[in-house]
């Protein structure tokens, strides 16, 4: 089984931390953009006729900002040209300030069965500082509309002046909204974003302070029956994100639209981030790719190790040998020995010990050698 990602680059306003391809002043290009998106979906279909897809994910930008007819049309196009599993997980990202009952009705008619809500914080002042277009109260209104649906909420860690009480309040708000899944991401101030200046000025929490907020979140979420299954992701039993698990399992996926990335048959490729360049390419019958590379050999192995060790379960040695034809314990014996403090190794597999999962990057880098 494989996944599909569709990028919706339009939004009402750009958040101060956003480093994604999102454009608040380009909505007038929506008709052309989606016409090209549908064309790209159809155009790539012949090469993917042997694939079966069991997840579809609409990200952005703000997918819930555009008219729902566009989302409906994209799913109709997918179902026309691709083998979509009848029990596929189909997720739509939502900003609480843009959801309406009428939109929700159309989403459900289209087949959306999972909703990822960008809550970010329960503190309205923090939301305002992030240039979010919604309040904590808007989240509860959206959650009420989505009552009974499979919902997830995003929470940011490392906000200016953020305390453990703030994190607790955000988790409590998400739980009050009835979500079954919570993603708690450490804020990363990317160069070129407005919030990067605060990072340079030292206005944001230090790495150690963010680690403390994260550790608190892990324990508090566990107390509330949200089990960590990946560094930043927590779910009640039966509600893990299948789409994201496919990424971490190094599964294959195809991406459509501006900035969308794909990984098919060992090749990783990415579309342009510019709407005008994307539509011009598609209209000329060309691909909109600006980057492509084949991932093989040791590079493929390291990618697998890096992705799988992000998860709480790690990986099985048999799966590694089936994929790469070598014995992990022999090839990486030196690394396993030097990292013994951080790793939990059994007869069948390997994973990072729970208390060290947050510093996974520092651990897996040893395997690149």
């Amino acid at each position: 089984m494989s996944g599909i990602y569709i990028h919706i680059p339009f939004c009402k306003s750009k958040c101060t931390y956003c480093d994604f391809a999102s454009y608040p002043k380009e909505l007038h290009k929506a008709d052309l953009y989606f016409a090209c998106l549908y064309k790209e979906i159809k155009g790539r279909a012949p090469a993917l006729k042997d694939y079966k897809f069991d997840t579809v994910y609409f990200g952005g930008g703000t997918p819930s900002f555009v008219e729902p007819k566009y989302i409906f049309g994209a799913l109709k196009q997918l179902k026309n040209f691709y083998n979509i599993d009848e029990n596929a997980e189909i997720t739509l990202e939502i900003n609480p300030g843009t959801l309406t009952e009428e939109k929700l009705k159309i989403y459900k008619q289209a087949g959306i069965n999972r909703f990822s809500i960008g809550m970010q914080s329960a503190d309205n002042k923090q939301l305002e500082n992030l240039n979010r277009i919604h309040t904590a109260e808007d989240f509860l209104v959206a959650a009420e509309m989505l009552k009974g649906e499979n919902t997830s909420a995003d929470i940011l860690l490392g906000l200016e002046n953020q305390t453990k009480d703030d994190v607790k309040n955000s988790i409590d708000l998400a739980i009050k909204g009835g979500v079954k899944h919570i993603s708690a991401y450490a804020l990363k101030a990317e160069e070129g974003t407005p919030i990067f200046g605060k990072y340079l000025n030292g206005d944001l929490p230090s790495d150690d302070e963010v680690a403390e907020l994260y550790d608190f979140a892990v324990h508090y979420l566990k107390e509330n029956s949200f089990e960590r299954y990946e560094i930043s992701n927590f779910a009640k039993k039966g509600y893990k994100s299948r789409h994201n698990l496919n990424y971490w399992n190094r599964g294959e996926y195809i991406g459509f639209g501006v900035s969308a990335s794909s990984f098919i048959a060992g090749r990783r490729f990415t579309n342009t981030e510019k709407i005008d360049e994307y539509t011009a390419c598609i209209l000329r019958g060309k691909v909109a790719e600006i980057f492509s590379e084949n991932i093989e050999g040791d590079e493929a192995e390291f990618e697998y190790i890096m992705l799988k060790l992000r998860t709480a379960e790690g990986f099985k040695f048999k799966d590694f040998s089936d994929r790469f034809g070598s014995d992990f314990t022999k090839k990486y014996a030196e690394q396993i020995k030097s990292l013994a403090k951080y790793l939990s190794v059994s007869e069948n597999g390997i994973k990072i010990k729970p208390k060290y999962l947050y510093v996974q990057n520092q651990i897996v880098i040893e395997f690149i050698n």
Side-chain angles (χ1 to χ4, degrees):
M1 293 287 191
S2 305
I4 293 173
Y5 174 80
I6 296 180
H7 191 75
I8 313 299
F10 306 105
C11 56
K12 189 172 182 179
S13 68
K14 199 167 178 79
C15 302
T16 60
Y17 56 86
C18 181
D19 190 42
F20 297 117
S22 61
Y23 305 100
K25 298 179 181 179
E26 304 285 344
L27 190 58
H28 61 282
K29 298 177 181 178
D31 280 344
L32 176 60
Y33 178 78
F34 280 95
C36 290
L37 178 72
Y38 301 161
K39 185 173 169 44
E40 184 191 16
I41 290 171
K42 181 179 179 180
R44 290 195 185 273
L48 298 165
K49 60 183 175 58
D50 296 328
Y51 282 77
K52 188 169 186 178
F53 299 91
D54 71 336
T55 69
V56 178
Y57 193 101
F58 288 87
T62 309
S64 60
F65 175 56
V66 302
E67 292 183 45
K69 66 179 183 181
Y70 295 126
I71 306 299
F72 191 98
L75 272 171
K76 184 177 180 181
Q77 193 78 335
L78 286 175
K79 291 172 183 177
N80 282 342
F81 294 101
Y82 292 81
N83 185 359
I84 308 294
D85 186 77
E86 61 179 12
N87 296 313
E89 172 193 272
I90 305 176
T91 304
L92 183 82
E93 287 185 349
I94 282 179
N95 183 300
T98 61
L99 184 65
T100 65
E101 293 281 8
E102 183 57 30
K103 284 182 178 179
L104 180 57
K105 181 180 178 181
I106 296 173
Y107 295 151
K108 293 173 74 171
Q109 288 174 347
I112 304 292
N113 55 27
R114 186 175 182 272
F115 298 88
S116 180
I117 313 170
M119 190 189 84
Q120 312 309 354
S121 173
D123 187 299
N124 286 336
K125 183 62 177 175
Q126 289 178 347
L127 291 172
E128 183 181 342
N129 290 340
L130 294 172
N131 203 32
R132 299 291 293 175
I133 63 168
H134 66 89
T135 62
E137 292 71 29
D138 290 330
F139 167 78
L140 290 177
V141 171
E144 182 61 29
M145 287 187 221
L146 293 165
K147 195 171 183 179
E149 300 293 333
N150 181 3
T151 55
S152 174
D154 289 350
I155 293 173
L156 281 173
L157 305 175
L159 302 178
E160 188 174 7
N161 300 318
Q162 191 176 37
T163 65
K164 291 178 182 177
D165 280 343
D166 292 331
V167 174
K168 178 181 181 298
N169 291 339
S170 293
I171 294 172
D172 286 341
L173 182 66
I175 293 172
K176 185 177 180 181
V179 304
K180 305 294 194 300
H181 183 284
I182 292 176
S183 297
Y185 297 110
L187 174 68
K188 190 174 180 182
E190 299 285 0
E191 190 171 356
T193 61
I195 208 168
F196 189 67
K198 288 186 177 293
Y199 168 73
L200 292 178
N201 291 334
D203 295 331
L204 299 179
S206 67
D207 290 345
D208 287 344
E209 289 170 329
V210 176
E212 286 185 18
L213 294 175
Y214 172 82
D215 189 55
F216 170 80
V218 171
H219 287 88
Y220 190 62
L221 283 162
K222 187 171 185 179
E223 288 175 15
N224 286 278
S225 302
F226 285 85
E227 291 295 328
R228 178 175 59 175
Y229 67 98
E230 188 271 343
I231 294 174
S232 302
N233 286 271
F234 307 78
K236 290 197 171 181
K237 189 174 182 179
Y239 288 94
K240 295 176 183 177
S241 166
R242 285 156 51 190
H243 185 80
N244 286 342
L245 277 172
N246 183 54
Y247 290 145
W248 300 318
N249 288 331
R250 202 171 180 266
E252 293 181 297
Y253 53 91
I254 184 71
F256 300 108
V258 162
S259 79
S261 291
S262 304
F263 180 59
I264 297 289
R267 184 171 78 95
R268 193 176 303 285
F269 49 99
T270 304
N271 283 345
T272 175
E273 291 194 355
K274 300 174 182 177
I275 294 178
D276 291 343
E277 186 175 10
Y278 171 79
T279 55
C281 287
I282 301 299
L283 289 173
R284 292 199 305 269
K286 298 178 180 290
V287 295
E289 296 170 19
I290 58 168
F291 171 81
S292 175
E293 67 173 345
N294 290 317
I295 312 294
E296 53 192 18
D298 286 346
E299 187 177 3
E301 283 190 18
F302 175 70
E303 192 175 81
Y304 171 89
I305 295 166
M306 175 186 67
L307 291 170
K308 293 291 283 185
L309 288 184
R310 289 185 62 88
T311 68
E313 293 183 356
F315 62 88
K316 303 297 183 187
F317 297 135
K318 184 180 184 307
D319 184 50
F320 183 89
S321 63
D322 287 347
R323 288 175 182 247
F324 304 109
S326 60
D327 186 324
F328 180 85
T329 58
K330 291 181 179 178
K331 182 169 183 177
Y332 294 97
E334 185 178 328
Q335 287 89 341
I336 293 172
K337 183 178 179 181
S338 66
L339 294 169
K341 171 184 174 182
Y342 307 101
L343 301 174
S344 178
V345 184
S346 69
E347 182 181 343
N348 298 319
I350 187 171
K351 61 184 179 181
I352 294 178
K353 293 176 181 177
K355 69 177 181 177
Y356 297 116
L357 197 56
Y358 185 65
V359 292
Q360 176 255 11
N361 284 342
Q362 299 170 34
I363 297 168
V364 300
I365 199 68
E366 294 298 320
F367 289 98
I368 203 168
N369 298 318

